[in-house]
Amino acid sequence: MLGDKKVLYSGMQATGNLTLGNYLGALKNWVNLNEEYECFFGVMDLHSITVRQNPAEFRKRAKSLLALYIAAGLDPEKNCIYYQSHVSAHAELGWILDCFTYMGELNRMTQFKDKSAKHADNVNAGLFTYPALMAADILLYQADYVPVGRDQQQHLEITRDIAERVNAIYEGVFTIPEGYYGKRGAKIMSLQDPTKKMSKSDENPNGSIYLMDDPDTIVRKIKRAVTDSDNSIRYSEDKPGVSNLLDIYSAATGKSIQESEKDFEGKGYGDFKLGVAESVVDVLKPLQDNYNRIINDKAYLEEIIKKNDDKARYVANKTLRKLRKKMGFTDIPR
Ligand code: TRP
């Protein structure tokens, strides 16, 4: 609890270009959570360096993610939107939690196995201890809830295990977080392989719609989306391509799947794809307009960053001080 509200914490890595999947599946659903919860949304730039980054591009991406949070409708006066690397408590608690995390546990993480296969030339210790840093993110803010997709559930589980382990020795340091399953975001799949999640790290750019894609690109990518040959527009497990497009349309318009099927009754795949593309253009247009305005307003962004970094630091340092004291670290003279 912070004040009279429960705390909700989430964030995204500042790597790659965000996709429609990130937006419809996560970001869009974070808007207005601040009415019920005290919300923190981090730009997870410390996590990004487990993979080598080009400095200029990295700086641009991180800023762009922050601007996108705001463009998507997260009010930076009501939510704490900040850079993870601006709050040194993350790295400090990350180290402490490394000492409460077992190699065996980390070895079981499927994301570590996937990522070390993908970056076989750079399997660094940070990639291995990534979950302990993520635990630090969540626990610093005493989060009650963490909205996470399926791919991050294992990381939330290990966070809970670590928190319980620490609490068993140093009573009452951390709140034990739970997954947030309020309004589940849509799970958007790749346009080229609808059995795989749409991913910002996909090598094939035609599989993903990026949030900054222009209307022509969106239409072209959706026209090329993999479907099937039976030419009927219905939601079904054996029609992953068509079902994915229906999911996209439904999430973009706010209509149910049934209503979405109805909208295309008697139509062919050509019209269907055009309709889906239009719905995506419509949902991204205001986001892109907002983004372009915000990213060019340097003074505004700077002010937001300062204010929110301060707020994050205040809350995070409070937790860190409490733990330091219980563990027996010497007080830092003021
Ligand atoms: N690991 C998350 C991802 O790749 C990003 C992340 C880092 C995160 N720290 C977090 C998400 C804390 C939620 C809470 O998507």
Side-chain angles (χ1 to χ4, degrees), residues 52-268:
R52 293 281 170 268
Q53 301 290 336
N54 168 295
E57 217 162 272
F58 180 34
R59 191 174 297 121
K60 211 169 123 193
R61 286 237 160 98
K63 192 166 172 191
S64 150
L65 180 56
L66 188 93
L68 265 174
Y69 281 173
I70 303 170
L74 294 176
D75 183 341
E77 304 287 341
K78 296 180 178 154
N79 301 274
C80 184
I81 297 174
Y82 74 101
Y83 290 103
Q84 181 191 31
S85 71
H86 290 193
V87 180
S88 55
H90 286 260
E92 291 178 53
L93 183 62
W95 164 251
I96 295 177
L97 296 185
D98 278 350
C99 303
F100 289 87
T101 308
Y102 299 119
M103 306 275 288
E105 283 176 305
L106 294 173
N107 260 323
R108 285 197 297 274
M109 295 291 120
T110 53
Q111 185 168 306
F112 172 67
K113 291 184 210 167
D114 292 349
K115 286 204 176 166
S116 43
K118 212 168 149 187
H119 304 281
D121 56 337
N122 182 18
V123 183
N124 58 68
L127 199 59
F128 190 58
T129 60
Y130 182 113
L133 180 61
M134 178 158 162
D137 304 336
I138 296 166
L139 300 176
L140 276 175
Y141 299 87
Q142 307 288 356
D144 297 281
Y145 296 109
V146 183
V148 284
R150 184 166 302 178
D151 60 328
Q152 294 298 318
Q153 250 162 25
Q154 206 182 19
H155 289 161
L156 183 59
E157 275 313 308
I158 197 176
T159 299
R160 291 166 54 91
D161 291 344
I162 295 168
E164 274 165 3
R165 194 169 299 146
V166 172
N167 278 358
I169 311 174
Y170 310 107
E171 213 189 312
V173 177
F174 295 132
T175 300
I176 309 296
E178 279 173 44
Y180 173 80
Y181 305 111
K183 206 165 83 197
R184 265 264 159 140
K187 188 166 183 208
I188 306 299
M189 314 302 278
S190 158
L191 298 176
Q192 290 298 312
D193 178 359
T195 60
K196 259 182 29 200
K197 201 174 123 174
M198 184 181 283
S199 163
K200 56 187 170 180
S201 50
D202 192 341
E203 264 120 56
N204 182 353
N206 289 321
S208 305
I209 291 171
Y210 300 106
L211 295 186
M212 292 302 138
D213 279 350
D214 59 41
D216 287 348
T217 308
I218 293 170
V219 171
R220 178 173 51 78
K221 285 182 179 175
I222 291 184
K223 269 192 178 161
R224 278 199 202 163
V226 170
T227 48
D228 51 49
S229 56
D230 88 345
N231 222 33
S232 83
I233 299 162
R234 57 194 164 78
Y235 200 90
S236 157
E237 225 170 89
D238 59 345
K239 294 169 67 68
V242 170
S243 300
N244 186 37
L245 292 176
L246 280 167
D247 268 328
I248 292 175
Y249 181 81
S250 154
T253 58
K255 294 182 183 182
S256 70
I257 292 292
Q258 248 180 349
E259 288 172 296
S260 305
E261 285 173 334
K262 229 168 175 179
D263 281 356
F264 297 107
E265 224 166 48
K267 300 227 165 101

